[in-house]
Amino acid sequence: MYEASAENLAGGYSDPLDGWYTEEKAIYDAHGSGVTGHYTNCMDNYQYVGLVLDQSTGTSAADFGRSKDETSQSGTLVSVDEFEAALNSYVASYESALNAAKATYDQAPSRQVTGRCC
């Protein structure tokens, strides 16, 4: 388990580095200060970064950290490939159940409600 020391959030970017890095770096280079916290987070000396990009909404997050939380006994370190395989397996189990339920629903006779009201 690692503790986050800093976090970047973005919305509306297909690539969050356009905002976190490119745009704020231009401000930093021009003025040496200003609203550049996302850029300085990207450039600081962190041991790890965790990234999330939701392409359907254009929202993104990055957590930056330096130290391992030695008090936590939960969590297992895995490679990216191991994590991706586990996530795909988890999603597939729900997709299978959803597809089975949809097939059952699609095979059910349609029912129309007729009649008059009031």
Side-chain angles (χ1 to χ4, degrees):
M1 245 357 210
Y2 289 85
E3 292 181 12
S5 300
E7 181 179 62
N8 285 355
L9 301 174
Y13 290 97
S14 59
D15 182 347
L17 288 178
D18 288 340
W20 294 339
Y21 181 86
T22 307
E23 292 175 10
E24 291 190 14
K25 181 181 187 315
I27 295 168
Y28 186 87
D29 288 347
H31 306 288
S33 64
V35 182
T36 59
H38 299 104
Y39 168 72
T40 55
N41 281 346
C42 290
M43 300 310 295
D44 207 344
N45 185 23
Y46 292 106
Q47 289 180 304
Y48 77 93
V49 61
L51 299 170
V52 175
L53 172 62
D54 183 341
Q55 293 176 328
S56 67
T57 63
T59 56
S60 306
D63 280 342
F64 301 88
R66 290 191 177 94
S67 62
K68 187 173 182 180
D69 180 359
E70 300 294 343
T71 63
S72 174
Q73 298 302 313
S74 65
T76 302
L77 297 178
V78 295
S79 70
V80 171
D81 290 338
E82 291 168 324
F83 176 81
E84 186 175 14
L87 179 61
N88 287 339
S89 175
Y90 177 79
V91 169
S93 71
Y94 282 93
E95 286 177 337
S96 176
L98 179 62
N99 289 337
K102 184 177 182 326
T104 301
Y105 176 82
D106 289 344
Q107 292 174 359
S110 64
R111 295 177 178 88
Q112 293 183 349
V113 177
T114 60
R116 296 181 191 221
C117 177
C118 310

